[in-house]
Amino acid sequence: MTTYRFWCGECGFKTPWGTESEAERGHMDHYDTRHPGMRLGGQVETGAAVPAREGTSCVVCATMAVLGLLLLVIVSACGH
């Protein structure tokens, strides 16, 4: 999923990351409030967001692998 953030061309304002339409709406609202009558300017920044829970699965897998190895070492040490 691609996320978007718009930067104001008149000041240092940046919209929060969101969908393209959410960020664009925030950009237009900012101009209406802070720079009325001015033409929209600035730039758009895009980024990739990690879907919820996708990054945590790697942590869980790594933790399980380490615990499994520790268990093997303990069982091996007790067996001798």
Side-chain angles (χ1 to χ4, degrees):
M1 176 177 138
T2 302
T3 57
Y4 297 83
R5 175 166 70 177
F6 283 76
W7 294 59
C8 179
E10 314 304 323
C11 66
F13 174 79
K14 306 178 271 207
T15 64
W17 288 101
T19 64
E20 186 175 15
S21 60
E22 290 170 342
E24 187 174 27
R25 169 54 54 199
H27 186 62
M28 291 189 301
D29 290 347
H30 169 75
Y31 264 81
D32 288 345
T33 304
R34 300 290 184 172
H35 313 291
M38 293 191 79
R39 188 174 180 190
L40 289 175
Q43 60 184 348
V44 63
E45 182 178 5
T46 59
V50 176
R53 298 172 46 110
E54 186 174 302
T56 58
S57 65
C58 292
V59 173
V60 171
C61 289
T63 303
M64 295 301 286
V66 168
L67 289 175
L69 287 173
L70 285 174
L71 183 61
L72 285 173
V73 168
I74 292 170
V75 168
S76 176
C78 291
H80 290 289

